[in-house]
Amino acid sequence: MATAVKSELPPLEDLDDPDFDVFAVERTMRGDYDDPYPVFEEYRKQGAVHKLELNEVFAKHHDVEMHGLNHYTVFGYDACNRVLMDGETFTNYEVFKHSLGKSFGRTVTVMDGEEHQRFRKVLQKAFLPNVVARWGDSLVQPVVDRLMSRFIEKGEADLADDYTHHFPFQIIYSMLLLDPDESARFHKLAVAQLLSQGGYPQGPEATEKLGVFFRAMLEQRRQNPGDDLVSHLATVEVDGQYLDDDVLIAFLRQLVNAGGDTTYRATGVLLAKLLEDPNLYARVCADRSLVPLAIEEALRWDGPVTLTYRYCKRDTEIDGKVIPAGAVVGVCMGSANRDPTKFEDPNRFDIFRKRTVRHLAFAGGPHICIGQHLARVEMTRALEGVLDNLRNVRLDPAKPWPKIISHFMRSPDHIFVRFDV
Amino acid sequence: MWMCMNCGHVYEPEEGDPVSGIAPGTPFEDIPDDWFCPLCGAKKSDFEFVED
């Protein structure tokens, strides 16, 4: 896809304070909690449902958009799955209007019922497995090759900072036919949007500036459509009408943020776990049919997002405990994916485990991650890029081993490796 | 292949959907109409046949 469309767009405006370090602030907000899984396990052992704001257990900083609401958190797999699958009782708008609705706007994550179904189907259609599979060669591989070319002759790299941290964002920029010279600014503003959760004014500023840019982009692609994603979304008609601009702009804001942020974290965990075990790495390298198993196990064992939310519309009993109408329900997917009633020896990273129960790394139910199939394609290509190109790759013994951190958005900040050149 | 248009889940006949009582080997056409997508909860009618 993505033949070139002549771009005459105005440049994306930088933050008013161009030196504001978005990534440092984001790291601070995310926290450096080492391993939340023992805490999840302790709660899960005590019951599937707790009256609890989970973020307050770990975080040094309040989530200013969510703090103080009537929070409950569910920990068991069955409880989490029930909440996610029951979109009539457990809805999105009333909870995400406080957070993603402010950062991204009228995104499908903030919709429920028929409105959600209508927009969801159109947007999902652009990210179905048979569609994204074609992007492996056209969009993903060139980015993987370009990033790898920057360090392949050096014999050493930080696979987080040099590789995983950038590749999904750059794939999205390619998908949108954005100017590569502006990729650093896009990355910064994409991430900055969620700083609203910490009360930083750069959050709404980034939301506004990306909105202005995407509105101009939609207009331009309608006038001069190509075969890229935005041209498709800008010109697709439902019941004889274009999709609402505010919905498309919200979708693009979310795409440039969540589409990059989650995949880079998941890929970092995948590479870190394989490199920690050279025998396992060698087996995957020799037998590529193991790649999908390694990816699914990394997603289960330590998925990039441990928690999502729903709003409880009516008093509902789960596991003997009543969640009252009006409560915010935290769904701890990180806990569900380590539930021993579903996954044998759940704390063990085992790519060969029996897969009789699906993991909840991408959530589930009507709002299951739209980008899950693209994420798998990206993770596959990123791992294969390492397997194919970095001979005798191993964790650098002179540097710290990868440390996966945060209670909420988990990833290693560094994966220092050496390899033969 | 039969694919859910709400989430992209592909129904694999050889696997079935044992959690929902659909035995391995069940063709999509033989699944009851009140079956739901195991990933997103969409209706059977939300699935479409897509060429491999």
Side-chain angles (χ1 to χ4, degrees), chain A residues 300-372:
Chain A
R300 181 204 69 83
W301 186 79
D302 206 351
V305 182
T306 62
L307 181 71
T308 188
Y309 295 102
R310 295 293 184 265
Y311 174 83
C312 185
K313 274 181 71 177
R314 58 183 78 93
D315 291 358
T316 305
E317 185 176 319
I318 295 181
D319 199 37
K321 195 154 187 169
V322 174
I323 301 177
V328 166
V329 183
V331 182
C332 189
M333 302 174 298
S335 172
N337 286 340
R338 302 274 188 111
D339 187 333
T341 67
K342 303 294 179 185
F343 303 101
E344 190 179 340
D345 196 3
N347 294 323
R348 188 159 51 92
F349 183 82
D350 178 7
I351 73 170
F352 303 102
R353 70 171 56 250
K354 286 181 186 168
R355 301 197 177 277
T356 52
V357 177
R358 71 179 186 89
H359 62 68
L360 301 181
F362 294 115
H367 289 276
I368 193 170
C369 176
I370 279 182
Q372 60 169 313

Side-chain angles (χ1 to χ4, degrees), chain A residues 382-393:
Chain A
L383 174 56
E384 288 180 339
V386 173
L387 295 169
D388 288 341
N389 295 298
L390 302 187
R391 283 191 301 126
N392 190 27
V393 64

